[in-house]
């Protein structure tokens, strides 16, 4: 008997011998043979693969099931919903159950790879899943088909036999689309020697649920009978502290705004230890906060620089502050995340602040907008502001130009005068600053002198910024985990 047939026989034996001839139907993802999309039923080969993984690997395998049986779904939505509305069928039988099963976790892993479809060519290894509000880890994202095949061959990884019959792996196609046979090899099957993806399982009758951590969340890692005691386990599962690191200002309004923003973050994640710190001019300093965290028992810290552009402070000041803190505390791990940056979602915050300014000034008409930022000697940082200005202009179908309070032209007053020279009279200026201070005040003063009809406040404490801080933290926390 050939290897392929021997493996298939083993899988069928696992289905028939361990769970009976009528294997449990785990909804979602699989296809019937000959390319007929039937995402309500799995093949025996797929059930067998699941059972073989559970029988041979030391993993905590869970099975996700939808709320309705196929019969109940047929009664509610009509027979064969996968034919009449495949998107709704997929949502009910796969997407929703998966989302509900992940609610108790902070992160989830998937086996997707960039080589599978054109929609995944830029899939990150570690990223933020905005829809689920969690870190998404794709450890195989960069793997080619050849790497997958080599790993399978070298390590004897279990593969669903349907892959060898030309059926694409789950996620490599769409149920409603035309079926095309996959290459006759294990393309996309993906090695799973240590753990299936977080989306593959949840069984309401599972005997070995992962233990809750000290915040009440369940860890996705398997709890071995011989693992360490509760105290050591709790320490291992403790989340890194989050330090929101701002530049600092002599203006007390700046520190007050940062405090309000960090309070927004704390409200979203009360289970985390979250501190604010400043590079200079304001208190507490970064070093003071690190000393305080170490004294409290934290040995891992994720620093989120509250900087909007990747300029001198991000490239020099932040790394220097971290290096100095680590030199004082042996064994302390500090990871600097990406800076807060200029996310597209910040346009929503700009709109909020601009509407407030226009309402206060009783303005009902606009001819042009100016996006005022701090400015930098780093041309790439200024280009990032200019890109956001273009996006904002496209959003509102208005001409928008970037202006800078220092280090680069044009100044805000100059930008306003250029628009007025074109015959535009209703020009408003948005403040692309995180908090009030000397530079935002100077930009507003120059803009008003040049004839701007309204100048908005800085971004300030807003939920979108708080969510972005948590997204940066989440990625940084994952990067602290040794691989």
């Amino acid at each position: 008997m050939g290897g392929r047939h021997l493996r298939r026989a083993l899988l069928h034996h696992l289905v028939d011998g361990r769970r009976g001839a009528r294997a449990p139907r785990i909804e979602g993802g699989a296809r019937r043979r000959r390319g007929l999309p039937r995402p309500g039923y799995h093949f025996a080969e797929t059930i067998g693969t699941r059972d073989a993984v559970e029988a041979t690997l030391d993993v905590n395998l869970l099975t996700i099931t939808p709320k309705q049986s196929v019969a109940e779904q047929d009664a509610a939505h009509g027979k064969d919903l996968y034919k009449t509305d495949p998107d709704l069928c997929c949502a009910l039988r796969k997407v929703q159950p998966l989302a509900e099963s992940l609610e108790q976790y902070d992160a989830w892993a998937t086996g997707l790879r960039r080589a599978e479809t054109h929609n995944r060519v830029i899939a990150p290894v570690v990223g933020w899943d905005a829809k689920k509000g969690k870190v998404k880890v794709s450890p195989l994202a960069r793997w080619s088909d050849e790497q997958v095949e080599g790993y399978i061959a070298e390590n004897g990884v279990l593969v669903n036999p349907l892959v060898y019959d030309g059926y694409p792996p789950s996620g490599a196609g769409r149920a409603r689309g035309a079926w095309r046979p996959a290459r006759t090899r294990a393309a996309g099957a993906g090695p799973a020697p240590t753990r299936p993806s977080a989306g593959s399982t949840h069984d309401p009758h599972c005997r070995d649920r992962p233990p809750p951590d000290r915040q009440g969340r369940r860890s996705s890692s398997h709890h071995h009978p011989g693992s360490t005691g509760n105290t050591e386990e709790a320490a291992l599962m403790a989340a890194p502290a989050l330090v929101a690191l701002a530049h600092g200002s002599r203006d007390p309004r700046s520190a007050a705004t940062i405090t309000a923003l960090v309070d927004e973050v704390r409200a979203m994640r009360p289970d985390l230890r979250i501190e604010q710190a400043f590079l200079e001019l304001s208190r507490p300093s970064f070093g003071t906060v690190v000393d305080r965290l170490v004294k409290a028992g934290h040995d891992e810290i994720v620093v989120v620089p509250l900087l909007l552009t990747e300029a001198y402070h991000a490239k020099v000041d932040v790394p220097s502050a971290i290096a100095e803190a680590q030199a004082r505390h042996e064994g302390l791990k500090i990871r600097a995340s990406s800076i807060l940056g200029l996310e597209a979602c910040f346009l929503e915050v700009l709109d909020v602040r601009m509407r407030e300014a226009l309402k206060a000034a009783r303005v009902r008409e606009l001819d042009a907008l100016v996006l005022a930022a701090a400015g930098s000697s780093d041309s790439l940082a200024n280009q990032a502001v200019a890109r956001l200005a273009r996006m904002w202009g496209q959003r509102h179908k208005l001409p928008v130009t970037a202006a800078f309070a220092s280090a680069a032209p044009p100044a805000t007053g100059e930008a306003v005068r250029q628009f007025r020279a074109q015959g535009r009279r209703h020009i408003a200026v948005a403040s692309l600053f995180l908090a009030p201070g000397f530079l935002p005040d100077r930009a507003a003063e120059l803009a008003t002198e040049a004839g701007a009809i309204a100048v908005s406040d800085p971004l300030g404490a807003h939920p979108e910024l708080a969510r972005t801080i948590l997204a940066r933290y989440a990625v940084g926390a994952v990067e602290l985990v040794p691989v």
Side-chain angles (χ1 to χ4, degrees):
M1 181 182 292
R4 185 188 308 172
H5 300 291
L6 179 62
R7 177 168 290 177
R8 176 171 296 179
L10 168 64
L11 294 175
H12 277 298
H13 170 72
L14 285 168
V15 173
D16 296 338
R18 295 186 67 244
R19 297 191 179 271
R22 295 185 63 186
R25 289 169 176 170
I26 310 169
E27 311 300 342
R31 304 166 183 272
R32 276 198 180 272
R33 304 184 67 175
R34 300 182 184 88
L36 297 175
R38 299 288 294 271
Y41 303 87
H42 276 301
F43 297 127
E45 289 93 335
T46 302
I47 303 298
T49 303
R50 194 208 85 97
D51 289 345
V53 168
E54 185 177 36
T56 60
L57 298 178
D58 185 17
V59 294
N60 188 20
L61 193 61
L62 306 175
T63 300
I64 298 171
T65 56
K67 293 180 179 179
Q68 292 182 318
S69 67
V70 174
E72 290 170 338
Q73 179 177 287
D74 287 348
H77 300 281
K79 185 173 176 56
D80 295 340
L81 183 62
Y82 65 86
K83 290 182 179 178
T84 58
D85 194 340
D87 284 336
L88 177 59
C89 185
C90 184
L92 293 175
R93 309 210 71 78
K94 185 172 72 171
V95 177
Q96 291 178 5
L98 173 60
E100 291 171 2
S101 71
L102 292 175
E103 287 178 355
Q104 59 190 328
Y105 299 108
D106 294 321
W108 71 294
T110 173
L112 69 80
R113 296 183 301 114
R114 296 170 184 171
E116 289 174 338
T117 71
H118 69 279
N119 292 327
R120 296 174 175 174
V121 294
I122 59 172
V125 176
V126 179
W128 179 250
D129 188 333
K131 291 183 178 179
K132 294 182 174 64
K134 303 177 188 301
V135 175
K136 182 177 181 180
V137 184
S138 304
L140 307 182
R142 296 193 181 102
W143 283 40
S144 65
D145 291 344
E146 290 72 21
Q147 287 175 299
V148 170
E149 292 170 14
Y151 191 97
I152 290 171
E154 292 172 11
N155 296 276
V157 177
L158 288 169
V159 177
N160 190 326
L162 294 176
V163 173
Y164 296 108
D165 287 343
Y167 289 83
S170 176
R174 294 297 303 271
R176 67 166 182 258
W179 177 82
R180 292 180 297 176
R183 287 166 287 187
T184 311
R185 59 184 184 178
T194 57
R195 189 183 309 282
S197 84
S200 62
T201 57
H202 174 71
D203 181 355
H205 307 296
C206 179
R207 295 186 303 276
D208 295 318
R209 290 185 180 276
D213 64 19
R214 65 184 185 181
Q215 276 85 35
R217 294 178 176 269
R218 292 187 184 274
S219 168
S220 59
S221 60
H222 182 60
H223 178 64
H224 297 282
S227 62
T228 57
N230 292 336
T231 302
E232 292 178 349
E233 186 175 56
L236 286 172
M237 289 196 283
L242 189 168
V243 175
L245 181 59
H247 177 263
S249 170
R250 291 186 177 88
D251 191 323
R253 295 175 300 164
S254 176
T257 301
I258 297 301
T259 298
L261 176 57
V262 172
D263 285 343
E264 286 271 358
V265 180
R266 290 192 183 108
M268 293 180 179
R269 286 296 304 272
D271 57 308
L272 293 178
R273 177 69 180 266
I274 302 172
E275 300 285 348
Q276 68 192 61
F278 300 91
L279 287 169
E280 58 183 3
L281 302 177
S282 300
R283 295 181 179 179
S285 68
F286 179 66
T288 300
V289 170
V290 170
D291 293 344
R292 183 189 307 159
L293 290 172
V294 170
K295 186 176 181 180
H298 289 271
D299 59 3
E300 292 184 331
I301 299 172
V302 174
V303 177
V304 180
L306 302 187
L307 303 170
L308 297 180
T309 57
E310 194 82 42
Y312 183 84
H313 296 308
K315 295 178 179 179
V316 178
D317 290 343
V318 172
S320 297
I322 291 175
E324 181 181 340
Q326 286 182 313
R328 291 200 319 273
H329 298 285
E330 184 178 356
L332 176 64
K333 295 181 180 178
I334 304 180
R335 177 75 185 190
S337 74
S338 299
I339 62 170
L340 192 60
L342 297 174
E343 294 290 328
C345 63
F346 291 179
L347 295 177
E348 297 283 351
V349 188
L350 285 174
D351 286 349
V352 170
R353 300 295 180 240
M354 181 54 68
R355 284 194 292 268
E356 294 169 350
L358 296 177
K359 182 179 179 180
R362 299 175 180 267
V363 173
R364 294 176 178 266
E365 182 180 355
L366 284 178
D367 295 327
L369 292 166
V370 174
L371 185 61
S376 171
S377 57
D378 189 318
S379 61
L380 293 179
N382 297 332
Q383 289 172 23
V385 175
R387 282 195 298 271
L388 192 70
R390 289 194 294 271
M391 292 173 60
W392 202 34
Q394 293 169 359
R395 182 186 181 94
H396 295 295
K397 311 300 181 188
L398 284 172
V400 180
T401 188
F404 304 98
S406 66
T412 50
E414 182 183 350
V416 172
R417 282 190 289 271
Q418 288 174 353
F419 276 134
R420 290 183 64 84
Q422 299 171 11
R424 305 179 189 277
R425 293 293 179 266
H426 302 90
I427 306 157
V429 177
S431 298
L432 189 61
F433 301 89
L434 192 58
F438 172 77
L439 288 181
D441 287 351
R442 180 60 176 161
E445 180 183 352
L446 293 175
T448 303
E449 289 176 354
I453 58 174
V455 179
S456 71
D457 289 334
L459 300 175
H462 190 278
E464 285 292 350
L465 274 71
R467 280 190 284 268
T468 302
I469 291 172
L470 286 174
R472 299 288 186 267
Y473 163 82
V475 175
V478 170
E479 291 173 342
L480 275 172
V481 178
V483 293

